[in-house]
Amino acid sequence: MESVDLDIRDWVATITLNRPAKHNAMTPEMSAQLVSHVLACNDSAEVRVVVLTGAGERAFCVGSDVKDLDRYPEPWSFRNRTDYVDALRLLRKPLIAAVNGMAFGGGLEMTLAADIRLASTTSSFAAPEIKLGWVGGGGVAHALSHSIGASNAAIMIMTGDAVTAQQASQWGLVSELFAPDHLLPGALVLARTIASRAPIAAETAKLNLRAAFNMTRDMAFAYERELQTICFATHDAAEGRAAFKEKRAAKFEGR
């Protein structure tokens, strides 16, 4: 049964795209489930970090199920659909993509929506829409060019051909490569490390990093100072200072 699964433990939510027989291709129903999970994670004090991965060994996600695209009666309804990439951008918590196979089309865009991208050595990445007569609509041009540079992004978007995990790592599309059976455990170790930090500061760091792409240098400097001041006023910041002085581990509560 096609689904998007949610598991929460140790402050970490794992969202799994669970349609392995179809390479985790997304349907409108799965998009709605993903939106629901994202909103639940935003509202839950038990979630500090989210890991996104795909079920099975072959694919992370190959984007929208092309057969489902004919369900939209006209381009305007397609344009106004519930979009799974937009859903991920609603997430306030840090997001780690654990790319366990093919990340094609919308799957590549989902990867790019993550704050941190990890991948298996057998993964691959592509923006293949041009081979079907269109281009991606989930922000791929902006996100990919900022990630790997305009020329490399042009190669991927204009040819539609896949690049290997090793090439993706060389270009900076992913931060680290793992053997397939070590990918999710590695992602969870990193997630738990981030989850052990002050959660308000972690969410603020995400805001700061995203804003830095859209601001001038001086505006980014000023915005960062204001975010620092907000964090400095929290209970967790006081706890961090106290723990440092008392030479003990801080106990952050997200307030």
Side-chain angles (χ1 to χ4, degrees):
M1 179 179 178
E2 61 195 40
S3 63
V4 179
D5 301 334
L6 175 65
D7 177 71
I8 300 173
R9 62 186 74 188
D10 301 327
W11 307 108
V12 176
T14 302
I15 296 177
T16 304
L17 310 176
N18 192 0
R19 198 188 180 202
K22 296 294 184 180
H23 302 317
N24 300 319
M26 296 292 288
T27 65
E29 292 77 17
M30 291 172 70
S31 295
Q33 289 179 20
L34 182 59
V35 170
S36 178
H37 292 333
V38 165
L39 295 178
C41 289
N42 277 346
D43 290 340
S44 176
E46 300 302 311
V47 176
R48 296 184 177 181
V49 183
V50 177
V51 174
L52 176 68
T53 194
E57 300 178 354
R58 297 191 61 190
F60 169 72
C61 176
V62 294
S64 300
D65 190 324
V66 175
K67 294 180 181 178
D68 271 338
L69 299 182
D70 289 335
R71 293 168 59 177
Y72 299 99
E74 71 283 320
W76 195 249
S77 61
F78 172 71
R79 183 249 192 206
N80 292 327
R81 71 195 182 281
T82 299
D83 186 78
Y84 46 88
V85 183
D86 289 344
L88 292 178
R89 295 195 182 106
L90 296 173
L91 188 64
R92 295 195 300 267
K93 313 294 174 77
L95 174 61
I96 300 171
V99 183
N100 55 303
M102 293 180 285
F104 288 5
L108 173 62
E109 292 168 343
M110 295 175 84
T111 301
L112 291 165
D115 303 296
I116 298 169
R117 300 181 290 274
L118 310 176
S120 74
T121 52
T122 56
S123 63
S124 55
F125 303 82
E129 291 89 348
I130 196 169
K131 294 182 176 182
L132 298 175
W134 63 85
V135 296
V140 64
H142 180 276
L144 193 60
S145 60
H146 275 78
S147 178
I148 65 174
S151 179
N152 293 331
I155 290 173
M156 291 187 68
I157 293 171
M158 292 179 181
T159 68
D161 292 338
V163 299
T164 64
Q166 292 71 27
Q167 184 67 74
S169 178
Q170 182 180 333
W171 281 350
L173 179 57
V174 297
S175 295
E176 190 172 356
L177 297 180
F178 293 83
D181 56 344
H182 292 167
L183 172 63
L184 188 56
L188 292 173
V189 167
L190 177 58
R192 292 181 187 123
T193 297
I194 296 172
S196 73
R197 311 308 191 215
I200 293 175
E203 290 187 39
T204 304
K206 177 168 181 160
L207 282 175
N208 195 21
L209 287 163
R210 292 292 176 91
F213 275 104
N214 299 303
M215 292 181 172
T216 64
R217 186 189 66 171
D218 289 346
M219 288 180 65
F221 289 169
Y223 183 67
E224 183 175 276
R225 181 61 54 84
E226 299 305 323
L227 292 177
Q228 181 190 48
T229 303
I230 292 170
C231 288
F232 194 76
T234 64
H235 174 275
D236 281 349
E239 163 64 9
R241 296 192 299 275
F244 179 82
K245 289 186 288 186
E246 296 165 14
K247 298 182 180 179
R248 60 174 174 80
K251 297 179 180 179
F252 297 121
E253 300 178 12
R255 61 187 182 93

